[in-house]
């Protein structure tokens, strides 16, 4: 029997047909297993976990056959309770499969601490924008006799504040600034020394009376 005669023989065609049927059955079984194992067409709507504590999150997701993982904390948001969910992935309303992991970002316990910048010796116009840009708030402005209008001292809650001290963002810092009064007095003294014979106002008034 030649090769072509064997290919077109009934025995070969029968074996080929059985092989095709076996492949189709195997493919059907694999697809059925994949649909079953991946819960094909079974979707769960992601709940809104915003402002929930971890205990409440765990309880909610357990009931829905979902899991979660905590990511790093975000910047503190005073509108959210401490240690509550501030952000989640996937977003609420999205549809996911069973046992899907949700990634959560928690609200820290407070604003992070920042080192107070050294603004001593700077003018008020220079110091205030620097402090505000760092996230601090400007409190009471007090003045002290001085030759300049520079910042002479920083205070926090009534206590002297040294540059480099870590404070929480949004802390209120009071400024003590020079009032330039000594500069004016010095200028007047210098003018008097330069014109010692210049009549004073009182002398002019007395001369007018005569």
């Amino acid at each position: 029997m030649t090769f072509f005669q064997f290919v077109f023989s009934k025995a070969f065609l029968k074996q080929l047909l059985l092989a095709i049927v076996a492949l189709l059955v195997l493919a059907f079984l694999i697809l059925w297993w994949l649909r079953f194992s991946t819960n094909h067409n079974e979707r769960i709507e992601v709940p809104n976990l915003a402002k929930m504590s971890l205990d409440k999150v765990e309880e909610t997701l357990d009931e829905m056959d979902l899991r979660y993982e905590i990511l790093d904390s975000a910047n503190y948001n005073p509108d959210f309770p401490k240690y509550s969910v501030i952000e989640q992935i996937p977003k609420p309303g999205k549809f996911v499969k069973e046992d899907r992991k949700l990634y959560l970002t928690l609200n820290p316990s407070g604003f992070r601490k920042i080192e107070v910048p050294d603004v001593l010796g700077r003018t008020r116009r220079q110091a205030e924008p620097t402090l505000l840009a760092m996230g601090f708030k400007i409190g009471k402005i007090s003045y002290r006799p001085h030759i300049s209008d520079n910042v002479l001292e920083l205070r926090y809650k009534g206590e002297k504040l040294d540059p480099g001290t870590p404070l929480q963002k949004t802390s209120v810092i009071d400024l003590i600034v020079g009032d330039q009064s000594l500069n004016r007095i010095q200028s007047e003294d210098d003018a008097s020394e330069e014109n010692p014979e210049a009549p004073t106002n009182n002398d002019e008034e007395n001369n007018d009376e005569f």
Side-chain angles (χ1 to χ4, degrees):
M1 180 181 292
T2 65
F3 174 76
F4 291 102
Q5 289 177 335
F6 172 75
V7 168
F8 292 103
S9 66
K10 291 184 178 179
F12 177 79
L13 293 177
K14 182 178 180 181
Q15 295 296 327
L16 180 62
L17 180 61
L18 290 176
I20 294 174
V21 172
L23 287 174
L24 291 176
V25 171
L26 181 61
F28 174 79
L29 291 176
I30 291 175
L31 290 176
W32 179 83
W33 179 80
L34 288 175
R35 290 179 181 179
F36 177 79
S37 61
T38 58
N39 298 314
H40 187 67
N41 292 330
E42 293 183 14
R43 301 190 302 167
I44 302 172
E45 185 176 358
V46 176
N48 187 357
L49 305 175
K51 299 186 177 182
M52 284 190 185
S53 64
L54 279 181
D55 292 340
K56 184 65 176 176
V57 167
E58 188 170 356
E59 179 182 343
T60 301
L61 296 185
D62 281 346
E63 294 176 354
M64 304 180 71
D65 293 325
L66 296 174
R67 299 177 295 132
Y68 71 91
E69 180 176 330
I70 304 298
L71 301 178
D72 292 337
S73 297
N75 291 328
Y76 177 69
N77 189 333
D79 296 330
F80 287 71
K82 296 179 181 179
Y83 306 114
S84 66
V85 176
I86 195 173
E87 188 176 346
Q88 65 181 80
I89 300 174
K91 298 292 185 182
K94 298 290 185 179
F95 288 90
V96 297
K97 295 179 180 180
E98 183 181 345
D99 203 37
R100 171 68 185 271
K101 181 183 291 185
L102 277 61
Y103 297 92
L104 310 179
T105 302
L106 300 185
N107 197 29
S109 60
F111 288 107
R112 62 189 179 91
K113 289 189 175 183
I114 308 171
E115 290 188 0
V116 176
D118 187 1
V119 295
L120 298 179
R122 299 187 187 181
T123 64
R124 178 180 171 184
R125 288 186 177 181
Q126 294 172 328
E128 286 188 354
T130 300
L131 293 171
L132 293 173
M134 297 288 292
F136 297 111
K137 295 182 179 180
I138 305 299
K140 181 181 178 181
I141 307 295
S142 303
Y143 293 91
R144 179 182 296 171
H146 197 264
I147 193 172
S148 70
D149 62 344
N150 294 343
V151 175
L152 305 177
E153 191 174 310
L154 303 175
R155 288 186 176 271
Y156 175 66
K157 294 184 177 180
E159 300 292 333
K160 184 178 178 180
L161 179 63
D162 295 325
T165 302
L167 283 184
Q168 278 193 349
K169 190 177 179 181
T170 72
S171 295
V172 179
I173 297 177
D174 301 326
L175 304 180
I176 297 179
V177 184
D179 62 1
Q180 295 184 290
S181 61
L182 298 183
N183 188 28
R184 291 192 295 270
I185 294 174
Q186 183 66 36
S187 298
E188 292 173 359
D189 291 342
D190 292 343
S192 299
E193 291 177 0
E194 291 176 1
N195 301 289
E197 296 180 356
T200 62
N201 291 336
N202 291 334
D203 292 339
E204 292 177 357
E205 292 176 358
N206 292 334
N207 291 335
D208 291 341
E209 291 179 359
F210 293 104

